[in-house]
């Protein structure tokens, strides 16, 4: 049979992460004059221009979203109203607000979340996730995506316990999608550009240029091939540098200097698997909550009830609202006792689950980091209480190790989690040893649990084959 050879891609693991277009039968050719997206060769200068503009667009979008977040926070809780990027933290602002004001703000959050996402799902075009856009090259709808991103930022600013990092990733991906399609890039190039835009949005909003690039390569594309590495690094670096103009080049967490000791290494070895089990269960819990979230008339009702309950609870625990940066900072600085850390952990896990179940949207990066830090403080408190004084481990050091291991498993990105921990805190690179040990233990444990679940399901189906488990 006659065939038309479109492209030939080497069958390497890196190459398989991006689509391979095989020979197409001559009978399946498009009519003359039809647009064939993958046939023409795009000039290198066009790719370079799209890459640079993607980085710029993601940087601008990330900066504007960060500014909106701070403005809404300051106005809602009544602190630093004359500043956008001020020195006062969200936790201190919430703590200074009266219980009545906190309840009113969280009630407003429930109204905005419920009605906002109901309207998006009822009247907007169907949302396309970044995973779908990268994996299947589906066009990203402009209006629905903008509304979805803005709702996430506003609700997190009003106290939602979910993360704010998905919104800049979505807008970065949207900018990249529009640029790639207008430039006439091929399907594979569109996928790559959209992934880079998403990573650049993350890099901009958190000042993590390397973390944004590694997120693209490890999580979105699953390849470290040069054709992916170069644009990923370029877009994330441009976006982060551009965000410095508006937000400054500040690190997310300021932590004390930690010494790497034998007890700390021992704690990392023991704590890693325990953190892996908890993070694995947390990931399944949140995935289930998202899958069962209502998109009909129940969404406004559930959201209002959820956030009113949160508004009542934060009268006693002002550390709960927001994406979790406040409690994570307290944990990293050793400012939490074991009992309070345990209570905050239980409440944050519950309200993260209930907010997702009620239909609210948001990220799980900073919430996962906070939950890991809180759990590590609890585990370290037990360790210090059970062992001699010479085996004690600083709570802050354990919190940073635990946060990284928990994040690595809960979001299935071990390499990205380690890089983010380094860029978030600027911790001494000697600290990599216990961090990597804990991450390895947590990831291996999560993979073992995946395999156990897969084996159980396969036996239930009467099959002797074990489905491949996703990497922890």
């Amino acid at each position: 049979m006659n065939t038309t050879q479109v492209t030939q891609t080497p069958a390497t693991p890196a190459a398989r992460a991006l689509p391979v277009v095989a020979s197409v039968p001559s009978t399946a050719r498009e009519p003359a004059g039809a647009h064939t997206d993958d046939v023409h060769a795009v000039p290198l200068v066009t790719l370079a221009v799209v890459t640079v503009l993607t980085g710029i667009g993601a940087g601008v979008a990330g900066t504007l979203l960060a500014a909106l977040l701070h403005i809404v926070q300051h106005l809602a809780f009544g602190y630093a109203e004359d500043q956008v990027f001020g020195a006062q933290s969200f936790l201190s602002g919430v703590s200074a607000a009266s219980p009545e004001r906190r309840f009113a703000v969280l009630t407003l959050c429930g109204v905005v979340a419920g009605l906002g996402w109901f309207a998006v799902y009822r009247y907007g075009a169907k949302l396309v996730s970044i995973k779908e856009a990268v994996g299947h090259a589906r066009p990203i709808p402009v209006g629905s995506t903008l509304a979805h991103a803005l709702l996430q930022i506003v609700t997190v600013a009003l106290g939602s316990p979910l993360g704010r990092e998905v919104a800049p990733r979505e807008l970065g991906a949207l900018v990249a999608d529009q640029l790639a399609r207008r430039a006439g890039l091929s399907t594979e190039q569109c996928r790559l550009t959209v992934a880079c835009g998403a990573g650049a949005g993350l890099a901009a909003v958190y000042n993590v240029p390397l973390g944004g690039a590694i997120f693209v390569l490890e999580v979105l594309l699953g390849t470290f091939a040069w054709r992916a590495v170069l644009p990923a690094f370029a877009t994330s670096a441009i976006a982060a540098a551009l965000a410095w103009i508006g937000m400054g080049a500040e690190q997310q967490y300021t932590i004390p200097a930690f010494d790497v000791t034998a007890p700390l290494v021992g704690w990392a070895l023991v704590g890693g698997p325990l953190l892996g089990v908890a993070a694995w269960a947390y990931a399944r819990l949140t995935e289930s909550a998202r899958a069962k979230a209502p998109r009909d008339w129940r969404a406004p009702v559930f959201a209002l009830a959820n956030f009113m309950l949160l508004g009542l609870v934060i009268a006693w625990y002002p550390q709960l609202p927001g994406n979790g940066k406040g409690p994570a900072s307290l944990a990293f600085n050793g400012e939490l006792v074991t009992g309070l850390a345990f209570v905050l952990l239980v409440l944050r896990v519950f309200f993260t689950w209930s907010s997702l179940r009620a239909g609210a949207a948001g990220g799980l990066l900073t919430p996962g980091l906070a939950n890991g830090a809180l759990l590590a403080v609890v585990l370290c408190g037990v360790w210090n209480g059970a062992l001699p004084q010479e085996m004690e481990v600083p709570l802050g050091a354990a919190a940073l190790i635990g946060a990284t291991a928990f994040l690595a498993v809960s979001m299935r990105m071990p390499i990205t989690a380690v890089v983010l921990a380094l860029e978030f805190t600027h911790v001494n690179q000697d600290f990599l040893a216990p961090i990597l040990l804990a991450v390895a233990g947590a990831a291996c444990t999560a993979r073992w649990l995946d395999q156990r679940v897969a084996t159980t399901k396969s036996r239930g189906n009467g099959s002797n084959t074990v489905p491949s488990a996703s990497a922890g």
Side-chain angles (χ1 to χ4, degrees):
M1 178 174 63
N2 294 329
T3 60
T4 300
Q5 188 71 23
V6 177
T7 184
Q8 184 67 35
T9 305
T12 62
R16 286 196 298 269
L18 296 175
V20 178
V21 183
S23 298
V24 180
S26 58
T27 55
R29 294 176 185 168
E30 296 186 11
H35 177 70
T36 54
D37 193 43
D38 289 307
V39 171
H40 68 282
V42 178
L44 183 60
V45 66
T46 302
L47 293 174
V49 170
V50 170
T51 298
V52 171
L53 291 179
T54 296
I56 294 174
V60 172
T63 303
L64 292 177
L65 288 178
L68 175 62
L69 176 86
H70 285 84
I71 290 171
V72 174
Q73 286 176 339
H74 297 171
L75 293 177
F77 291 98
Y79 70 98
E81 297 181 24
D82 58 337
Q83 303 175 1
V84 177
F85 300 105
Q88 187 174 359
S89 69
F90 178 66
L91 175 57
S92 64
V94 174
S95 300
S98 66
E100 295 80 9
R101 183 164 190 159
R102 298 177 200 169
F103 178 77
V105 171
L106 266 297
T107 301
L108 176 61
C109 180
V111 173
V112 172
L115 295 179
W117 272 298
F118 171 75
V120 168
Y121 292 126
R122 177 66 177 83
Y123 302 106
K126 183 178 180 182
L127 291 167
V128 174
S129 68
I130 296 173
K131 181 179 179 180
E132 292 174 325
V134 173
H136 305 288
R138 293 178 182 172
I140 301 176
V142 176
S144 297
T145 303
L146 285 172
H148 190 59
L150 291 175
L151 278 170
Q152 291 175 63
I153 292 298
V154 171
T155 52
V156 171
L158 293 175
S160 170
L162 303 177
R164 63 185 173 109
E165 78 280 353
V166 173
R169 278 166 30 202
E170 288 179 341
L171 289 196
L174 175 62
V175 169
D177 184 63
Q178 292 292 311
L179 289 170
R181 296 184 186 279
R182 292 178 184 276
L185 301 190
S186 69
T187 301
E188 181 175 323
Q189 291 164 342
C190 283
R191 294 178 57 242
L192 176 58
T193 304
V194 169
C196 290
L202 177 66
V205 77
Y206 284 136
N207 188 24
V208 287
L210 182 57
I214 299 300
F215 175 81
V216 171
L217 302 172
E218 180 188 21
V219 179
L220 297 180
L221 296 177
T223 177
F224 284 82
W226 278 108
R227 67 180 181 278
V229 169
L230 296 179
F233 275 43
T235 50
S236 290
I238 292 170
L242 191 64
W244 295 343
I245 299 174
M247 297 185 287
E250 296 183 359
Q251 64 193 65
Q252 292 297 309
Y253 300 94
T254 302
I255 62 174
F258 296 130
D259 294 325
V260 179
T261 62
L264 184 64
V265 173
W267 185 90
L269 286 169
V270 174
L274 299 176
L275 290 157
V277 172
W280 180 85
Y282 175 77
R284 294 173 68 87
L285 180 70
T286 53
E287 287 170 6
S288 174
R290 274 180 168 156
K292 297 177 181 178
R295 296 186 177 183
D296 52 15
W297 61 268
R298 295 173 298 168
V301 178
F302 285 14
L304 182 60
N306 173 73
F307 288 108
M308 287 182 69
L309 178 60
L310 177 58
L312 290 174
V313 175
I314 64 173
W316 295 275
Y317 299 103
Q319 304 92 341
L320 289 178
N323 62 359
K325 183 178 180 180
S329 296
L330 295 176
F332 295 156
N333 286 283
E335 299 176 14
L336 287 177
V337 296
T338 304
L340 178 58
F342 177 77
V343 173
L344 292 178
L345 173 64
V346 172
L347 291 174
R348 280 206 60 86
V349 170
F350 172 77
F351 281 110
T352 300
W353 170 84
S354 64
S355 298
L356 291 172
R357 184 65 180 82
L364 294 174
L365 194 157
T366 307
L369 197 77
N371 290 336
L374 293 171
L375 177 57
V377 170
V378 174
L379 295 176
C380 187
V382 175
W383 170 285
N384 290 342
L387 296 178
Q389 185 175 2
E390 58 269 17
M391 291 295 293
E392 285 190 1
V393 172
L395 293 179
L400 179 54
I401 294 171
T404 310
F406 192 97
L407 182 63
V409 170
S410 64
M411 294 195 66
R412 299 186 179 271
M413 53 180 202
I415 302 174
T416 305
V418 173
V419 174
L420 289 177
L422 294 178
E423 289 192 299
F424 279 162
T425 63
H426 294 190
V427 68
N428 191 311
Q429 291 188 7
D430 292 341
F431 212 72
L432 270 174
I435 285 179
L436 291 175
L437 286 173
V439 168
C444 289
T445 302
R447 183 163 183 90
W448 177 78
L449 290 170
D450 280 335
Q451 291 175 337
R452 292 280 296 178
V453 170
T455 301
T456 302
K457 288 183 177 179
S458 113
R459 288 174 178 170
N461 294 331
S463 170
N464 293 324
T465 59
V466 180
S468 59
S470 55

